[in-house]
Short mmCIF file of all heavy atoms in Angstrom, two decimals:
data_model
loop_
_atom_site.label_atom_id
_atom_site.label_comp_id
_atom_site.label_asym_id
_atom_site.label_seq_id
_atom_site.Cartn_x
_atom_site.Cartn_y
_atom_site.Cartn_z
N GLY A 28 167.89 228.34 196.08
CA GLY A 28 168.29 227.08 195.46
C GLY A 28 169.07 227.31 194.18
O GLY A 28 170.09 226.66 193.93
N LYS A 44 188.78 223.38 185.33
CA LYS A 44 189.67 224.18 184.47
C LYS A 44 191.11 224.10 184.94
O LYS A 44 192.04 223.99 184.14
CB LYS A 44 189.18 225.62 184.41
CG LYS A 44 187.90 225.77 183.61
CD LYS A 44 187.37 227.19 183.66
CE LYS A 44 186.02 227.25 182.96
NZ LYS A 44 185.38 228.57 183.09
N ALA A 53 184.66 210.36 173.12
CA ALA A 53 183.97 209.07 173.02
C ALA A 53 183.05 208.88 174.21
O ALA A 53 183.11 209.64 175.18
CB ALA A 53 185.02 207.95 172.98
N ASN A 71 172.31 211.32 200.46
CA ASN A 71 172.43 212.77 200.58
C ASN A 71 173.75 213.25 199.95
O ASN A 71 173.77 214.20 199.18
CB ASN A 71 172.36 213.16 202.06
CG ASN A 71 172.28 214.64 202.29
OD1 ASN A 71 171.74 215.38 201.47
ND2 ASN A 71 172.82 215.08 203.40
N VAL A 72 174.83 212.56 200.25
CA VAL A 72 176.16 212.91 199.74
C VAL A 72 176.22 212.75 198.22
O VAL A 72 176.63 213.65 197.48
CB VAL A 72 177.25 212.03 200.40
CG1 VAL A 72 178.60 212.25 199.74
CG2 VAL A 72 177.33 212.30 201.89
N ASN A 91 177.70 216.23 176.54
CA ASN A 91 176.38 216.17 177.13
C ASN A 91 176.45 215.09 178.21
O ASN A 91 177.37 214.28 178.19
CB ASN A 91 175.35 215.78 176.05
CG ASN A 91 173.93 216.04 176.44
OD1 ASN A 91 173.50 215.67 177.53
ND2 ASN A 91 173.17 216.67 175.55
N VAL A 97 177.44 209.53 178.41
CA VAL A 97 177.86 209.00 179.71
C VAL A 97 177.13 207.67 179.92
O VAL A 97 175.94 207.65 180.22
CB VAL A 97 177.54 209.99 180.85
CG1 VAL A 97 177.96 209.41 182.19
CG2 VAL A 97 178.24 211.33 180.61
N ARG A 105 183.03 207.00 200.82
CA ARG A 105 183.96 206.40 201.78
C ARG A 105 184.03 207.34 202.97
O ARG A 105 184.32 208.52 202.83
CB ARG A 105 185.35 206.26 201.16
CG ARG A 105 185.38 205.27 200.04
CD ARG A 105 186.52 204.30 200.22
NE ARG A 105 186.33 203.14 199.38
CZ ARG A 105 186.89 202.97 198.20
NH1 ARG A 105 187.70 203.89 197.73
NH2 ARG A 105 186.68 201.88 197.52
N LEU A 127 182.87 199.46 177.88
CA LEU A 127 182.47 200.33 179.00
C LEU A 127 181.37 199.68 179.83
O LEU A 127 181.41 199.69 181.06
CB LEU A 127 181.99 201.69 178.48
CG LEU A 127 183.05 202.68 178.04
CD1 LEU A 127 182.40 203.91 177.43
CD2 LEU A 127 183.96 203.08 179.19
N LEU A 131 181.28 198.50 183.85
CA LEU A 131 180.22 198.81 184.81
C LEU A 131 179.67 197.53 185.45
O LEU A 131 179.45 197.48 186.66
CB LEU A 131 179.07 199.57 184.14
CG LEU A 131 179.29 201.05 183.91
CD1 LEU A 131 178.14 201.62 183.08
CD2 LEU A 131 179.42 201.79 185.21
N THR A 133 181.22 194.66 185.82
CA THR A 133 182.26 194.10 186.69
C THR A 133 182.27 194.83 188.02
O THR A 133 182.32 194.20 189.08
CB THR A 133 183.63 194.20 186.01
OG1 THR A 133 183.58 193.52 184.76
CG2 THR A 133 184.71 193.59 186.88
#
Side-chain angles (χ1 to χ4, degrees):
K44 289 175 185 174
N71 188 30
V72 172
N91 196 312
V97 179
R105 293 230 164 97
L127 283 174
L131 280 173
T133 303

